[in-house]
């Protein structure tokens, strides 16, 4: 960084080391973990969408262990009451006629908050949650408490269907899909999971909540002047494509663009830092549209050597690549010398590709790829019947 001190660089290194440790622990989740780091430095909220068993809560817990602050984690149900999140009234004070909340060990005292099955939230807790998420304030009656939360992470296996929950979802600026990892990485996943089980890392890197707060203050000092005209143009392109990017969200996203620059040890943002905008979708169908618009700007950045590692990685599947891989799998399956273990690998891989195919938002492309997959599944079933 041009005007940074050695202390500033050390703080950035500490956060990057923490993120790398979490990446080593959770194979195939680099984009999610990098977005956690971006949201942590930018003091914005992150939403994880994915089925059970995809390490959503485990990743948040691992990151929380590397912070020295308090963590609050809760699984929401339709019947969750405000007291379960924010704390009960203090009985001693209540006897004296004061309505004071006992927040010890509850959300208002946490540095990192994880709300699982977020979209189960009911109307009783909705207003309190909205204020906590947006303004980092807890208010009950005459009580007003500023929250120390550095970041909120929400998770669900579905997107909001109820209009009332849309406002809650909107408070999570970044949304990322958390899916099962590629079967090719299964061996690495098992090794990393076993190491986590054995707690084999004696001295993992750590960062304090005060140091994260310092990084958040540094993020606000990143120079966005040169990229702002390009940013305005990008927001307009997204809106013209029918995507809802409110003025409030456009303002807040600047912090995440700045956080991307900061974690690359730059005092100035560059167009490649717009990569974070790939994750502002409201529906899964929007992912490919947004990625196409954002990537056209990111790829045009001449300063690729100084880009964030995630800037030039596109998680949206390519229909042609999926189709070609299915063709290769079919050729391998048709060979008589293909062993039983290899055939098992082919089936596992096909299941994974089948999940990726669902991400294709172009219906014609999806049908085209799915038809080839169905053809291979028929071959597999036919082989099983013959056996």
């Amino acid at each position: 960084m041009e005007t940074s001190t050695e202390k500033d660089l050390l703080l950035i290194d500490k956060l990057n080391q923490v993120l790398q440790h979490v990446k080593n622990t959770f194979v195939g989740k680099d984009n999610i973990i990098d977005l956690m780091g971006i949201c942590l430095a930018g003091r914005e909220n992150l939403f994880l969408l994915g089925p059970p068993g995809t390490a959503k809560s485990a990743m948040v817990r691992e990151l929380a262990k590397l912070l020295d602050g308090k963590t609050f984690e809760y699984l929401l149900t339709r019947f969750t009451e405000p007291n379960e999140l924010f704390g009960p009234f203090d009985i001693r004070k209540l006897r004296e006629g004061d309505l004071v909340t006992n927040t010890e060990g509850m959300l208002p005292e946490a540095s990192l908050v994880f709300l699982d099955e977020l979209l189960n939230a009911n109307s009783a807790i909705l207003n309190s949650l909205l204020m906590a998420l947006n303004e980092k304030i807890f208010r009950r009656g005459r009580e007003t408490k500023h929250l120390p939360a550095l970041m909120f992470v929400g998770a669900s296996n579905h997107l909001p269907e109820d209009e009332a929950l849309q406002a809650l979802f909107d408070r999570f600026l970044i949304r990322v899909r958390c899916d099962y990892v590629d079967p090719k990485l299964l061996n690495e996943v098992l090794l990393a999971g076993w190491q986590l089980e054995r707690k084999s890392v004696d001295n993992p890197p750590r960062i304090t909540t005060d140091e994260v707060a310092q990084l958040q203050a540094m993020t606000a000092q990143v120079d966005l002047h040169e990229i702002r005209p390009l940013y305005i143009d990008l927001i307009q392109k997204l809106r013209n494509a029918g995507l809802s990017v409110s003025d409030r969200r456009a303002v807040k996203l600047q912090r995440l663009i700045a956080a991307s620059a900061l974690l690359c040890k730059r005092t100035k943002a560059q167009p490649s830092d717009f990569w974070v905008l790939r994750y502002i979708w409201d529906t899964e169908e929007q992912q490919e549209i947004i990625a196409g618009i954002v990537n056209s700007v990111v790829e045009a950045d001449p300063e690729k050597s100084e880009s964030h590692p995630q800037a030039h990685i596109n998680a949206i599947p390519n229909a042609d690549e999926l189709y070609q891989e299915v063709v290769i799998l079919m050729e391998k399956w048709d060979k008589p010398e293909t062993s039983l273990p290899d055939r098992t690998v082919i089936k596992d891989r096909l299941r994974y590709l089948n999940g990726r195919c669902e991400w294709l938002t172009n219906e014609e492309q999806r049908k085209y790829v799915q038809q080839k997959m169905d053809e291979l599944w028929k071959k597999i079933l036919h082989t099983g019947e013959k056996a």
Side-chain angles (χ1 to χ4, degrees):
M1 296 175 71
E2 295 170 15
T3 59
S4 61
T5 65
E6 191 174 332
K7 184 181 177 183
D8 293 339
L9 295 175
L10 183 61
L11 286 181
I12 297 167
D13 283 338
K14 287 184 83 168
L15 180 54
N16 281 328
Q17 286 163 12
V18 164
L19 296 176
Q20 188 57 53
H21 171 78
V22 183
K23 288 179 194 177
N24 293 342
T25 306
F26 296 95
V27 176
K29 306 287 187 184
D30 287 12
N31 67 321
I32 298 171
I33 294 159
D34 277 326
L35 285 167
M36 283 182 176
I38 292 290
C39 288
L40 201 55
R43 208 187 185 199
E44 289 296 342
N45 306 322
L46 175 72
F47 177 83
L48 300 175
L49 173 68
T54 50
K56 298 187 295 295
S57 56
M59 282 188 287
V60 178
R61 287 187 199 118
E62 187 64 20
L63 178 62
K65 283 196 299 188
L66 306 176
L67 297 170
D68 70 340
K70 297 175 182 177
T71 305
F72 181 80
E73 176 182 340
Y74 207 81
L75 175 66
L76 298 184
T77 72
R78 288 179 300 154
F79 309 106
T80 302
E81 298 180 355
N83 288 357
E84 297 174 60
L85 298 181
F86 301 101
F89 286 115
D90 190 319
I91 300 298
R92 291 168 298 179
K93 297 283 186 182
L94 195 58
R95 286 171 184 158
E96 298 167 9
D98 290 331
L99 290 177
V100 178
T101 305
N102 180 5
T103 59
E104 186 177 352
M106 308 303 283
L107 186 152
E109 296 190 0
S111 302
L112 187 62
V113 178
F114 178 57
L115 299 174
D116 203 1
E117 296 303 334
L118 173 81
L119 299 177
N120 283 336
N122 56 55
S123 57
I125 61 174
L126 207 52
N127 288 337
S128 297
L129 267 181
L130 287 173
M131 185 166 286
L133 290 164
N134 197 42
E135 300 173 39
K136 304 294 190 294
I137 287 175
F138 167 58
R139 185 170 292 148
R140 179 186 272 179
R142 290 182 297 176
E143 277 187 281
T144 298
K145 183 179 178 69
H146 289 273
L147 306 181
L150 300 168
M151 175 175 66
F152 285 80
V153 179
S156 179
N157 59 10
H158 62 89
L159 291 173
E161 296 170 4
D162 187 344
E163 184 107 13
L165 293 172
Q166 194 62 48
L168 182 63
F169 183 58
D170 191 57
R171 296 306 189 272
F172 290 82
L173 201 57
I174 293 295
R175 295 88 183 259
V176 59
R177 176 92 191 186
C178 184
D179 225 325
Y180 299 111
V181 299
D182 189 328
K184 290 179 179 176
L185 300 173
L186 186 56
N187 184 57
E188 293 176 56
V189 170
L190 294 174
L191 287 172
W194 190 242
Q195 284 184 325
L196 183 64
E197 194 72 26
R198 296 169 60 189
K199 299 178 175 60
S200 58
V201 181
D202 294 326
N203 294 302
R206 295 182 181 279
I207 188 167
T208 68
T209 52
D210 285 343
E211 288 171 332
V212 173
Q214 289 175 51
L215 283 172
Q216 291 177 344
M218 289 161 58
T219 297
Q221 302 305 314
V222 172
D223 185 359
L224 304 181
H225 179 73
E226 289 182 15
I227 56 100
R228 190 163 281 118
L230 200 57
Y231 177 58
I232 293 169
D233 184 57
L234 178 56
I235 293 296
Q236 200 58 53
K237 284 179 180 176
L238 291 169
R239 287 173 173 174
N240 290 341
L243 304 166
S244 177
V245 186
S246 66
D247 291 346
R248 181 179 63 80
R249 291 184 77 189
V251 170
K252 281 175 163 287
L253 281 165
Q254 292 180 111
R255 288 190 62 83
L256 301 184
I257 293 166
S260 173
L262 183 74
L263 295 186
C264 295
K265 299 182 179 180
R266 285 185 275 109
T267 53
K268 288 185 178 181
Q270 60 189 42
S272 64
D273 293 315
F274 295 155
W275 70 271
V276 296
L277 270 72
R278 292 182 196 138
Y279 301 93
I280 63 170
W281 43 267
D282 294 319
T283 66
E284 291 190 85
E285 290 73 27
Q286 293 176 349
Q287 290 184 53
E288 191 173 5
I289 300 167
I290 292 176
I293 295 170
V294 172
N295 287 346
S296 65
V297 180
V298 169
E299 292 302 324
D301 189 347
E303 303 295 335
K304 286 186 170 59
S305 62
E306 296 185 2
S307 298
H308 190 282
Q310 290 295 332
H312 303 288
I313 298 174
N314 186 13
I316 302 298
N318 179 286
D320 289 333
E321 290 174 2
L322 287 179
Y323 186 88
Q324 289 303 320
E325 186 164 359
V326 176
V327 169
I328 292 168
L329 291 177
M330 190 176 290
E331 289 172 355
K332 287 181 180 178
W333 186 269
D334 287 338
K335 290 179 180 177
E337 64 270 21
T338 301
S339 67
L340 188 60
D342 286 340
R343 290 184 187 277
T344 302
V345 170
I346 290 172
K347 286 190 280 187
D348 287 342
R349 184 66 185 168
L350 188 57
R351 289 189 190 97
Y352 171 75
L353 294 178
N354 203 75
R356 295 287 287 162
C357 182
E358 292 177 7
W359 283 37
L360 296 173
T361 53
N362 184 301
E363 190 176 350
E364 198 172 313
Q365 290 180 344
R366 187 168 62 248
K367 285 181 178 177
Y368 181 67
V369 176
Q370 191 65 56
Q371 188 177 3
K372 199 67 179 176
M373 288 183 176
D374 291 344
E375 188 182 336
L376 179 50
W377 277 123
K378 285 177 184 176
K379 282 177 176 283
I380 292 170
L381 291 171
H382 182 64
T383 305
E385 288 171 3
K386 285 167 62 178

